[in-house]
């Protein structure tokens, strides 16, 4: 197989390139390479490129290899890669005249590109499933806390009251977009390069559409050079996952702060926490630390892939096909783990609704509505009302009495200090403006935090999740059905050949 070269590969090449690559590929790509070879062989026989007798013999060996797994091979790193080791096994079993026919009309370049897309497809589908499961868990959490009033924050300072469900709903819309980005990346991924050969296709009358269908692809890549040159789908997937993991890291950051003793807004179950080796009182939310950190691994993989692809020829090269995807598999695994860990976290969250309410009632997060009340009842411009309420807050902070009993008196003082006249706002209206639940309930504008509005948001989110789940299921079934159809064709072909 190295007839063109006068010497064996050097020990350095074997140790640092060929052997580790083969070990990795046999663990990750062996089955897919066998499956792709079956589809290619069925097509070759159907198109009368090789005869049925040869096809039957090769298919029987491929079936045996698939059944026994990668351990069937005695790896020889001098053969450069997994494909040559597979071909060598087949040739040793049935001879080069028969076994050597399998590679008709294809190259390692298009075969490896196809197998890589097949494996990536499986992993992306799993991530889409995990993302949908997280969305479902978040919807349940929001519905359980629909009326839980809490302070919303800007610049990490109390801003205005919202509900915990409104916060979760915001996260859900972000994750919905994350799903959409990854779904779009999957669409660009699911095209078959098989039959493009090294880069210029082949003169054999192959049928690429047949192999694409048998392998569960939506269609073929329509340019043979693009088939083996392109790895942009890797960058697109990593970019989508990077955005998703950033969403998870931001959620984790909030939850991390909210679990502190100083905040105490939420608590996680003991089963996902850890202890200290020296401090008996500790309950450490380590699960959130891991989720936050995993986003960095995705970013690192994207930087590695994009840097490796940059300034490479638009053709098949090892830096584009091998080195650029060095950390891609790990990134997919890290993304999956982060989604699973976040789902477990979400299911364990208990919200301290009483403390959340008390905080929102005492940290001035309701005073924007007091300014709105002055606009409506006193006819002030909002900027004038803003100045009055700012004075009101300052006076409350410096007052020795921070009870609500003197709110009307303090507002009167602030109003006169700013505008030089008395306010006519009643005590009941002031209380209505400053009471957290009433405050939130008035925010019924589309997208607002009023429980009635959040219910509508969650209804939309559930409907969209159901549609996305159908999409995932259809894509998953497409791949599974193609494998069943291929297995059936292989079985029928062998049975038919045996009869003859």
């Amino acid at each position: 197989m190295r007839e063109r070269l006068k010497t064996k590969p050097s020990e350095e090449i074997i140790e640092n390139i060929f052997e580790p690559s083969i070990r990795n590929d046999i663990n990750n790509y062996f089955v897919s390479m066998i499956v792709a070879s079956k589809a290619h062989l069925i097509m070759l026989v159907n198109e009368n490129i090789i005869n049925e007798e040869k096809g039957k013999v090769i298919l029987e060996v491929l079936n045996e290899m698939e059944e026994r797994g990668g351990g069937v091979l005695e790896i020889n790193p001098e053969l450069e890669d997994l494909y040559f080791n597979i071909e060598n096994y087949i040739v040793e079993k049935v001879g080069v005249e028969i076994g050597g026919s399998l590679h008709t009309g294809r190259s390692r370049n298009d075969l490896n590109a196809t197998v890589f897309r097949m494996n990536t497809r499986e992993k992306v589908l799993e991530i889409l499933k995990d993302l949908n499961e997280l969305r479902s868990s978040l919807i349940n959490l929001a519905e359980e806390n629909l009326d839980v009033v809490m302070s919303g924050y800007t610049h990490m300072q109390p801003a205005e009251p919202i509900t915990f469900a409104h916060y979760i709903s915001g996260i859900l819309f972000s994750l919905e977009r994350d799903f959409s980005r990854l779904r779009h990346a999957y669409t660009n991924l699911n095209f078959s390069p098989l039959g493009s050969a090294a880069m210029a296709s082949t003169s054999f009358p192959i049928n690429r559409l047949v192999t694409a269908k048998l392998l569960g692809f939506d269609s073929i890549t329509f340019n043979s050079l693009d088939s083996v040159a392109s790895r942009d789908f890797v960058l697109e997937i990593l970019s989508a996952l990077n955005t998703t993991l950033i969403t998870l890291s931001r959620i984790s950051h909030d939850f991390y702060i909210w679990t502190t003793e100083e905040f105490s807004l939420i608590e996680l179950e003991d089963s996902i926490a850890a202890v200290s080796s020296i401090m008996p009182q500790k309950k450490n939310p380590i699960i959130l630390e891991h989720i936050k950190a995993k986003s960095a691994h995705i970013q690192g993989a994207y930087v590695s892939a994009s840097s490796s692809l940059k300034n490479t020829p638009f053709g098949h090269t090892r830096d584009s096909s091998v080195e650029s995807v060095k950390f891609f598999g790990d990134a997919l695994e890290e993304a999956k783990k982060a989604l699973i860990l976040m789902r477990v976290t979400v299911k364990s969250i208990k919200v301290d609704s009483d403390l959340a309410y008390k905080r929102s009632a005492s940290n001035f997060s309701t005073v924007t509505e007091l300014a709105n009340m002055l606009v409506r009842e006193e006819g002030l411009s909002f900027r004038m009302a803003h100045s009055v309420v700012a004075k009101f807050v300052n006076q409350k902070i410096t007052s020795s009495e921070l009870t609500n009993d003197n709110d009307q008196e303090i507002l009167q003082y602030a109003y006169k200090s700013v505008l030089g006249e008395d306010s006519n706002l009643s005590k009941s209206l002031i209380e209505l403006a400053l009471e957290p639940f009433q405050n939130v309930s008035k925010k019924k504008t589309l997208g607002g935090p009023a429980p009635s509005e959040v219910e509508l948001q969650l209804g939309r989110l559930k409907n969209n999740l159901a549609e996305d789940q159908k999409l995932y299921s259809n894509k998953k079934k497409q791949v599974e059905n193609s494998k069943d159809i291929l297995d059936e064709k292989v079985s029928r072909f062998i049975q038919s050949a045996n009869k003859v």
Side-chain angles (χ1 to χ4, degrees):
M1 295 175 185
R2 286 174 60 88
E3 291 84 353
R4 167 65 178 80
L5 306 179
K6 296 179 181 180
T7 62
K8 294 180 179 181
S10 72
E11 289 299 319
E12 291 82 1
I13 287 286
I14 289 176
E15 183 179 345
N16 294 288
I17 296 178
F18 291 163
E19 188 164 10
S21 178
I22 294 170
R23 297 295 177 191
N24 175 73
D25 290 353
I26 203 168
N27 290 330
N28 293 301
Y29 302 117
F30 176 82
V31 173
S32 294
M33 193 166 284
I34 298 300
V35 170
S37 295
K38 287 183 180 182
H40 182 70
L41 186 60
I42 289 290
M43 181 275 298
L44 291 176
V45 173
N46 287 346
E47 301 300 321
N48 297 313
I49 297 172
I50 68 173
N51 62 45
E52 291 187 2
E53 183 179 351
K54 284 184 179 179
K56 170 185 173 294
V57 173
I58 298 171
L59 278 174
E60 287 177 336
V61 178
L62 290 173
N63 277 343
E64 175 219 343
M65 295 178 77
E66 183 179 11
E67 183 177 341
R68 293 178 64 184
V72 71
L73 299 177
E74 292 183 9
I75 296 300
N76 179 3
E78 291 185 6
L79 296 179
E80 298 187 358
D81 64 7
L82 174 61
Y83 170 73
F84 274 148
N85 275 272
I86 289 175
E87 184 179 71
N88 185 63
Y89 180 87
I90 297 171
V91 168
E92 287 185 349
K93 280 278 188 176
V94 300
V96 69
E97 184 179 353
I98 296 176
S101 302
L102 175 60
H103 209 49
T104 305
R106 73 178 188 186
S107 161
R108 283 184 300 175
N109 297 354
D110 63 327
L111 176 61
N112 286 333
T114 301
V115 168
F116 184 73
R117 285 177 184 250
M118 289 169 65
N119 272 47
T120 300
R121 178 177 66 189
E122 292 288 340
K123 292 178 181 179
V124 171
L125 282 172
E126 284 299 304
I127 291 173
L128 288 172
K129 175 179 72 71
D130 292 328
L131 183 50
N132 280 348
E133 289 178 356
L134 172 59
R135 290 163 67 189
S136 178
S137 296
L138 282 164
I139 287 172
N140 292 337
L141 180 63
E143 290 180 330
E144 291 168 3
N145 294 277
L146 196 62
D147 295 327
V148 174
V149 176
M150 61 176 284
S151 303
Y153 292 82
T154 61
H155 308 283
M156 289 301 295
Q157 302 298 311
E160 294 184 86
I162 58 173
T163 62
F164 191 78
H166 185 253
Y167 171 84
I168 298 297
S169 176
I171 290 169
L172 281 160
F173 280 108
S174 182
L175 290 174
E176 188 176 280
R177 295 189 297 274
D178 290 332
F179 182 93
S180 177
R181 280 182 281 265
L182 191 56
R183 177 193 64 198
H184 185 271
Y186 180 90
T187 299
N188 286 334
L189 162 72
N190 202 34
F191 291 92
S192 173
L194 195 59
S196 297
M199 50 81 66
S201 188
T202 177
S203 58
F204 289 99
I206 63 173
N207 191 328
R208 293 184 61 205
L209 292 173
V210 167
T211 53
K213 186 174 182 180
L214 288 174
L215 295 175
F217 288 101
D218 294 324
S219 187
I220 62 169
T221 50
F222 283 97
N223 179 281
S224 61
L225 175 59
D226 178 56
S227 298
V228 300
S230 296
R231 293 298 184 275
D232 53 300
F233 63 87
V234 170
L235 298 183
E236 187 175 15
I237 291 167
L238 286 173
S239 178
L241 291 178
N242 182 44
T243 305
T244 303
L245 268 288
I246 287 174
T247 302
L248 297 191
S249 73
R250 297 182 72 187
I251 304 166
S252 298
H253 182 76
D254 285 343
F255 289 169
Y256 195 60
I257 292 171
W258 293 349
T259 59
T260 61
E261 176 67 22
E262 291 77 11
F263 222 104
S264 298
L265 178 62
I266 64 173
E267 184 177 6
L268 307 184
E269 288 182 359
D270 292 355
S271 61
I272 58 173
V275 298
S276 166
S277 65
I278 185 173
M279 296 167 284
Q281 83 282 8
K282 296 298 294 295
K283 177 182 176 180
N284 299 324
I286 61 163
I287 193 168
L288 297 171
E289 296 168 349
H290 283 281
I291 297 170
K292 287 196 298 177
K294 287 185 184 301
S295 65
H297 305 324
I298 311 301
Q299 290 177 349
Y302 181 86
V303 171
S304 172
S306 59
S307 299
S308 297
L309 285 169
K310 177 180 175 291
N311 290 341
T312 60
F314 195 77
H316 175 76
T317 62
R318 295 277 292 196
D319 43 358
S320 64
S321 66
V322 178
E323 294 295 345
S324 74
V325 299
K326 177 73 173 178
F327 303 108
F328 182 58
D330 289 341
L332 295 175
E333 286 301 313
E334 290 300 299
K336 180 178 177 61
K337 288 175 183 177
L339 288 164
I340 292 171
L341 292 174
M342 180 55 76
R343 186 177 75 243
V344 172
T345 300
V346 166
K347 287 184 175 181
S348 82
I349 286 177
K350 301 299 180 186
V351 184
D352 190 333
S353 56
D354 291 337
L355 180 60
Y357 179 88
K358 290 175 182 176
R359 286 239 178 88
S360 64
S362 62
N363 61 12
F364 301 108
S365 63
T366 58
V367 298
T368 299
E369 184 56 29
L370 182 58
N372 292 341
M373 187 74 76
L374 288 173
V375 171
R376 287 192 294 267
E377 300 297 325
E378 299 278 21
L380 303 183
S381 71
F382 182 79
R383 189 53 55 212
M384 293 169 66
H386 185 281
S387 297
V388 170
V389 174
K391 187 75 172 180
F392 168 82
V393 171
N394 282 331
Q395 189 64 21
K396 285 273 287 185
I397 290 173
T398 58
S399 173
S400 59
E401 297 181 23
L402 293 179
T403 65
N404 295 330
D405 294 338
N406 60 349
D407 282 348
Q408 185 178 28
E409 179 183 339
I410 294 176
L411 181 63
Q412 188 68 255
Y413 166 81
Y415 197 96
K416 193 160 189 175
S417 296
V418 173
L419 302 176
E421 56 187 68
D422 292 332
S423 169
N424 295 315
L425 204 62
S426 67
K427 182 178 180 181
S428 61
L429 287 177
I430 294 171
E431 290 175 349
L432 183 64
L434 296 179
E435 198 282 314
F437 188 79
Q438 294 297 326
N439 191 299
V440 171
S441 297
K442 292 179 182 178
K443 307 289 182 63
K444 297 180 180 179
T445 303
L446 290 175
S452 59
E453 174 57 28
V454 174
E455 277 190 296
L456 295 176
Q457 295 170 29
L458 293 176
R460 175 181 174 179
L461 287 161
K462 283 195 282 189
N463 289 337
N464 291 346
L465 174 57
E467 289 301 313
D468 287 343
Q469 190 57 31
K470 286 180 186 177
L471 184 146
Y472 157 76
S473 296
N474 289 338
K475 296 297 183 184
K476 183 71 173 175
K477 286 177 183 176
Q478 177 185 346
V479 174
E480 292 173 344
N481 290 344
S482 68
K483 181 63 166 62
D484 292 340
I485 291 170
L486 176 59
D487 288 342
E488 183 180 355
K489 284 183 177 291
V490 168
S491 177
R492 284 183 177 180
F493 175 77
I494 292 176
Q495 290 174 8
S496 175
N498 285 335
K499 290 179 182 178
V500 175

